[in-house]
Amino acid sequence: MPPTDHHTSFLNRISIRRNQVVSMDVNHEQHLEQLELFQKHVSDRFIQLLPPQSPEPDTDTETVLSISWFRKLLDVYLCCESEFKAVLIIGRDASHFAKPPLDRLLPDHLDRTVKALDICNAVTHGIEVVRHWLRLAQIAVEALEQRPIVEGHVKRAKRALNTLLAAMVVDDKDPNVTGGKLAERMWSISRRGGGGGVAPPPAVNHTRKISVSRSLSSSFSKSWSASKQLQAMSTNLVAPRGGDPTGLSQPVYLMSSVLVFVMWTLVTAVPCQERVGPGAHFQLPRHLVWTNPMILLQEKIGEEWKKKEKRGTAGLLAEVQVIEKVAQSLVEFAEGFEFPVGVEKADEVTAQVTELSDICRKLEVGLGPLQLQVRELFHRMVRSRAEVLDVMDVVGKINTNIPY
């Protein structure tokens, strides 16, 4: 071959190599832009969940930890999860999944998802427990709405409210509550399962007696603990320090943090077996932009927990807090009841019954959609986990040396 041909071939190879490098640089910049947008979107979504610092007068501001607020929180998670999956998989080299540190961080995230599935089951059962509390409150409302208020109505309301308040402080670990041996807990999903055979959150028989339905342990073993589950989820949840050639450690850490935060918030508000207060929650680094709104929400919820001192009791769901407060006041009225009721006292009781009735309506309207969202969250996590596992399995097969 003539020398000029050697020279031309060499220049062509340099040109091809230069184009490949440029293409890699462009892809890297696009990925960095995706990561920045993802973090910004997460921050913006959680900022919308923060209570206004100076709410306008005569405006209906949404209460943190109310049912409507939780529905927004779950919507935020589902949006973040969809964007995370796009950042993680779309346009990425699948071989990155087998490289450090992603080869460790991604399985850890999937393991947290498994634990989150169990918490979803516990929360679904907790919502059913709140439904039973709602029925007791409705009995009291119906009795005290009768006019004139007579002793029989007051006694009926008092029985319902005393049962309600006792149910809110029941010791979840007391084996006598269930009246029998607790069923062994069913794990939500196998460690390496691809999503097949996964049981959705259990339905609860509405005809159960209240004494049985009070138990939060009917679908879980006595050793299961919501607080231990959260602690296990936050184990090894540490912000990446750089040195990641894949550029994916930050979004995996971000999504794991969002997952733990959402599960922690649900457990704090909805009655769940064996939980502790926010003192045991995970710590988020303050130097990251997307963590600031979550830290503010953590602090707000922590203040509410300390204020209510709800360690192991009914939880911080806003509507339940109102029911508990009004129920205690109406029980005091019932204990000192004298017929006929004075005008001033009758007006006070009427206002409290109206407040209790309004909260009952909010619970009746909101608990069903909230429970459906928790189930949607459950199934979304199952599907996403299966999709990521499929990619990891494909990468594992490619990297496996095939003997000839």
Side-chain angles (χ1 to χ4, degrees):
M1 183 181 292
T4 53
D5 291 341
H6 281 290
H7 183 67
T8 302
S9 177
F10 177 71
L11 291 179
N12 287 337
R13 288 199 298 271
I14 291 178
S15 177
I16 292 172
R17 178 60 179 166
R18 184 185 298 116
N19 291 336
Q20 290 175 340
V21 171
V22 170
S23 177
M24 291 174 61
D25 289 341
V26 170
N27 289 336
H28 183 65
E29 290 177 2
Q30 289 176 345
H31 291 327
L32 289 178
E33 185 178 353
Q34 282 181 339
L35 297 180
E36 290 178 2
L37 282 175
F38 179 44
Q39 295 178 67
K40 182 181 184 302
H41 292 163
V42 171
S43 178
D44 291 343
R45 289 175 184 129
F46 275 93
I47 286 174
Q48 294 176 2
L49 296 172
L50 291 169
Q53 295 183 352
S54 53
E56 296 292 332
D58 300 327
T59 57
D60 187 16
T61 57
E62 192 169 53
T63 304
V64 175
L65 297 176
S66 65
I67 289 178
S68 58
W69 184 87
F70 269 104
R71 294 195 63 192
K72 286 187 176 180
L73 174 66
L74 295 183
D75 280 338
V76 163
Y77 177 84
L78 292 173
C79 290
C80 292
E81 195 272 343
S82 294
E83 189 170 355
F84 165 71
K85 194 163 55 176
V87 170
L88 183 69
I89 297 176
I90 297 178
R92 294 284 177 176
D93 184 353
S95 64
H96 288 169
F97 285 21
K99 296 178 181 178
L102 208 60
D103 61 338
R104 175 182 55 83
L105 295 177
L106 204 51
D108 286 348
H109 175 72
L110 297 180
D111 185 64
R112 292 185 185 98
T113 302
V114 172
K115 295 177 173 62
L117 296 176
D118 290 316
I119 291 179
C120 284
N121 278 326
V123 169
T124 300
H125 184 76
I127 292 173
E128 288 294 341
V129 172
V130 175
R131 274 203 175 95
H132 288 285
W133 297 348
L134 167 63
R135 294 188 188 100
L136 291 168
Q138 288 172 330
I139 292 172
V141 167
E142 182 182 352
L144 294 175
E145 282 181 338
Q146 305 298 321
R147 291 295 180 271
I149 303 177
V150 297
E151 187 174 2
H153 300 154
V154 173
K155 284 184 176 179
R156 184 176 181 226
K158 182 181 176 181
R159 284 195 299 270
L161 294 174
N162 278 332
T163 304
L164 168 63
L165 293 173
M168 286 182 170
V169 297
V170 67
D171 181 3
D172 304 332
K173 293 193 74 175
D174 185 359
N176 296 322
V177 174
T178 59
K181 186 179 179 180
L182 298 173
E184 286 299 316
R185 171 171 162 268
M186 299 294 292
W187 284 99
S188 299
I189 187 173
S190 64
R191 290 286 170 181
R192 288 290 296 172
V198 177
V204 177
N205 188 346
H206 288 229
T207 61
R208 287 180 182 172
K209 295 180 180 179
I210 291 174
S211 60
V212 176
S213 66
R214 288 188 311 176
S215 169
L216 307 181
S217 309
S218 60
S219 300
F220 297 85
S221 71
K222 291 169 64 176
S223 62
W224 192 86
S225 165
S227 63
K228 290 179 181 178
Q229 200 80 335
L230 288 170
Q231 185 178 5
M233 289 179 68
S234 59
T235 300
N236 298 326
L237 186 57
V238 181
R241 296 183 179 181
D244 173 17
T246 69
L248 291 173
S249 58
Q250 187 63 242
V252 172
Y253 169 72
L254 186 158
M255 199 61 219
S256 289
S257 299
V258 170
L259 175 64
V260 175
F261 175 83
V262 171
M263 294 299 116
W264 169 79
T265 308
L266 285 170
V267 168
T268 303
V270 180
C272 289
Q273 178 177 319
E274 270 297 284
R275 59 185 176 181
V276 295
H281 69 254
F282 66 107
Q283 299 291 334
L284 288 168
R286 293 182 176 271
H287 67 278
L288 300 174
V289 175
W290 56 268
T291 61
N292 291 334
M294 279 198 283
I295 291 172
L296 291 174
L297 286 170
Q298 275 187 326
E299 293 171 350
K300 171 68 176 176
I301 295 170
E303 290 171 4
E304 290 296 317
W305 186 280
K306 292 177 183 177
K307 187 192 306 180
K308 307 293 183 181
E309 295 183 351
K310 289 295 167 189
R311 194 169 293 274
T313 58
L316 295 181
L317 191 65
E319 289 81 1
V320 170
Q321 294 302 308
V322 174
I323 285 182
E324 187 176 16
K325 180 191 69 173
V326 177
Q328 289 171 345
S329 179
L330 289 175
V331 166
E332 292 175 4
F333 160 74
E335 289 174 346
F337 174 76
E338 292 182 0
F339 183 83
V341 182
V343 175
E344 184 177 348
K345 191 64 177 177
D347 291 343
E348 180 184 342
V349 171
T350 298
Q352 291 177 336
V353 171
T354 300
E355 183 180 11
L356 185 58
S357 178
D358 291 341
I359 289 297
C360 285
R361 277 194 293 272
K362 288 183 179 179
L363 282 173
E364 196 165 21
V365 171
L367 285 177
L370 177 62
Q371 191 173 47
L372 288 176
Q373 267 187 301
V374 174
R375 291 182 178 183
E376 180 186 355
L377 175 64
F378 180 98
H379 291 293
R380 174 74 71 83
M381 288 191 295
V382 169
R383 288 196 301 269
S384 297
R385 183 177 184 274
E387 290 170 5
V388 174
L389 281 174
D390 285 343
V391 176
M392 294 176 67
D393 288 341
V394 170
V395 173
K397 292 175 182 177
I398 293 174
N399 293 336
T400 302
N401 292 326
I402 303 176
Y404 291 97

